[in-house]
Amino acid sequence: YIFLSYQSGLKTAEENGVNHEEMTFNGTDNNDGRKTFLLLGADREEDGVTRTDVIMLGQYDYMQKDLKLASIMRDVYVDIPGYQNYKINSVYSLGGVELLRQTLESNFGVQAEDYIVVDYQAFESVVDAINDDGIMIDVEKDMSEKITTELFKGEQRLGGEDLLEYARFRQDSEGDFGRVRRQQQVIGAVKDEILTVGGVFNLPNAMGTGMGYVNTSMNEAELYRMAGSFLVRGDKDIDSLTLPVEGSYQFVDTYHAGSVIDLDYDWNSEVLHQFLDDELDDSEAHQPEADA
């Protein structure tokens, strides 16, 4: 059943014309029992340029069975190897996953071993494959401005299209910070749905559907092993972090990139390393000492 269900999902995605583009990526496995990977949500714009509005560093610890996700704000101003400084969400369109890997290593000192690029259509299809009645989520407020649907405050089930609109909403005072928070909320809600009896039953079909829309350096067996390890044996809470951390950044207007987030890289790099290395406490690492 599991194999047939997985193949059925994969066939459904392939019939919808999804193409898998081979990408250059020079990440290497450091064989420490942890898998550190780029998790990107990609959207093809009208000008044909693919941008990544979801940029996360994920890490799964096979020994501790812990999953961690660190979200990086898309307007963070970064030093891009070989290019002029710009917003981090532009890096993928300039040089793909390999340039983004180099940029994260250069700015934060973290090396990604693999990548997973998810087309937004995959998210909608996987949600619907997990439960065609939708995913239960608490919508924090009424939303209708500049989105393709109307969302109303309160706990409810949302299908793939509506859930994606909720995760991408940023037309409020929180802007992208609110969107990142909602992205993490949605990931948690999808995880909770999978852990139900019906969700587990539908998981092979959902993973097959997702693989048809996912571009990754990991093979299917490794992805299935990681997902199975977490869902069956792991700590079901997903640790999350958002960069930049509070108090470590400022908004700056630039002549070439518009409004960007200029951050204290020493501070945020320290927080990120402590998060991935299980050392982060409630204070989110010490703040840098004031200049003398």
Side-chain angles (χ1 to χ4, degrees), residues 1-9 200-201 203-208 224:
Y1 164 78
I2 293 176
F3 176 77
L4 292 177
S5 183
Y6 178 84
Q7 290 297 318
S8 175
V200 171
F201 184 78
L203 182 59
N205 180 265
M207 289 196 67
Y224 216 98

Side-chain angles (χ1 to χ4, degrees), residues 59-87:
Q59 184 187 81
Y60 184 67
D61 188 324
Y62 281 96
M63 299 299 293
Q64 300 298 323
K65 308 297 185 294
D66 291 334
L67 177 62
K68 300 176 180 180
L69 292 175
S71 300
I72 302 174
M73 303 294 296
R74 67 176 196 161
D75 289 340
V76 165
Y77 195 54
V78 289
D79 178 17
I80 306 172
Y83 293 86
Q84 183 179 23
N85 289 22
Y86 214 84
K87 297 177 181 179

